[in-house]
Amino acid sequence: MWSAQDVARDQVRRQAKGLDVAAVAGKVAEAAVRERETADQVRRGGSFSELSDPERLAAVWAAKHEEWQRVRDLMVQAGWAVYEPERDVQGSQWAQERGERRESALAARDAFEARRREAAGELRTEVWLSAGPSRLIRAAADRAGVAPFQLLAQLAERVVVNEDGAVSVPPFTPSR
């Protein structure tokens, strides 16, 4: 999830493109009003709608106000007639960082989804065996050099169910 600053920087960068200093100054004033209104609403404990998070909205407007001011100051200092996002070194760096974080988050989500899809075909279970069969499984696993759960997994992979429903496992040598 993007921070309030990330949201503000992204929106301001897109909205400011092609605006002159006077228009940006108007956006600074508008953001100041919105920042004040949302902060007041949070202090009163109100909500803007059932879907909104008043604290987050107030934080975004505070960040937008700060970012509009940064853009205005940059334009005045650099003598730009209009804002061009490509010329804004700091804004471009932040946009690149946001893009990299987004790509990283998407890759992590894709990897998680792939693992989840893969795991959907798996069966995880606990098997509680009485002492006799448990000793046999442990002894066979020790002789084969595998863990008991690995031996049980290999047994399960080789299960054969006959037409009459009888379950059996043909003889095999456990592998590591």
Side-chain angles (χ1 to χ4, degrees):
M1 176 185 255
W2 280 3
S3 69
Q5 289 77 17
D6 288 333
V7 171
R9 290 170 180 162
D10 182 62
Q11 289 179 357
V12 168
R13 185 174 172 82
R14 285 185 283 111
Q15 292 172 3
K17 185 175 183 172
L19 296 182
D20 62 14
V21 175
V24 170
K27 293 289 191 178
V28 170
E30 177 188 352
V33 168
R34 299 287 182 151
E35 177 184 14
R36 195 170 39 257
E37 289 173 348
T38 56
D40 288 346
Q41 190 73 23
V42 168
R43 276 192 293 279
R44 287 194 304 263
S47 147
F48 301 99
S49 75
E50 294 87 38
L51 302 176
S52 73
D53 176 356
E55 289 85 11
R56 171 110 173 127
L57 188 58
V60 168
W61 274 109
K64 280 185 183 182
H65 183 207
E66 184 179 315
E67 184 62 8
W68 279 115
Q69 287 174 324
R70 186 194 71 80
V71 168
R72 180 201 57 206
D73 295 346
L74 173 66
M75 290 178 68
V76 169
Q77 182 183 19
W80 294 351
V82 296
Y83 179 74
E84 298 174 37
E86 317 69 55
R87 294 174 61 191
D88 181 353
V89 176
Q90 183 66 61
S92 295
Q93 180 182 351
W94 286 333
Q96 181 180 352
E97 290 169 1
R98 278 191 308 278
E100 290 169 359
R101 283 195 314 271
R102 181 179 185 276
E103 290 303 315
S104 175
L106 289 175
R109 189 194 70 198
D110 289 345
F112 172 78
E113 288 297 323
R115 285 190 308 273
R116 194 173 63 89
R117 282 191 302 275
E118 201 174 277
E122 294 178 1
L123 173 64
R124 293 183 180 266
T125 186
E126 279 189 37
V127 178
W128 293 87
L129 300 172
S130 62
S134 177
R135 276 192 295 274
L136 290 173
I137 293 292
R138 287 180 191 280
D142 284 344
R143 281 193 305 270
V146 297
F149 77 89
Q150 292 171 317
L151 179 64
L152 289 172
Q154 291 179 32
L155 277 168
E157 289 172 353
R158 291 167 174 80
V159 166
V160 176
V161 180
N162 296 336
E163 291 177 12
D164 63 354
V167 177
S168 63
V169 177
F172 75 99
T173 302
S175 59
R176 291 182 186 191

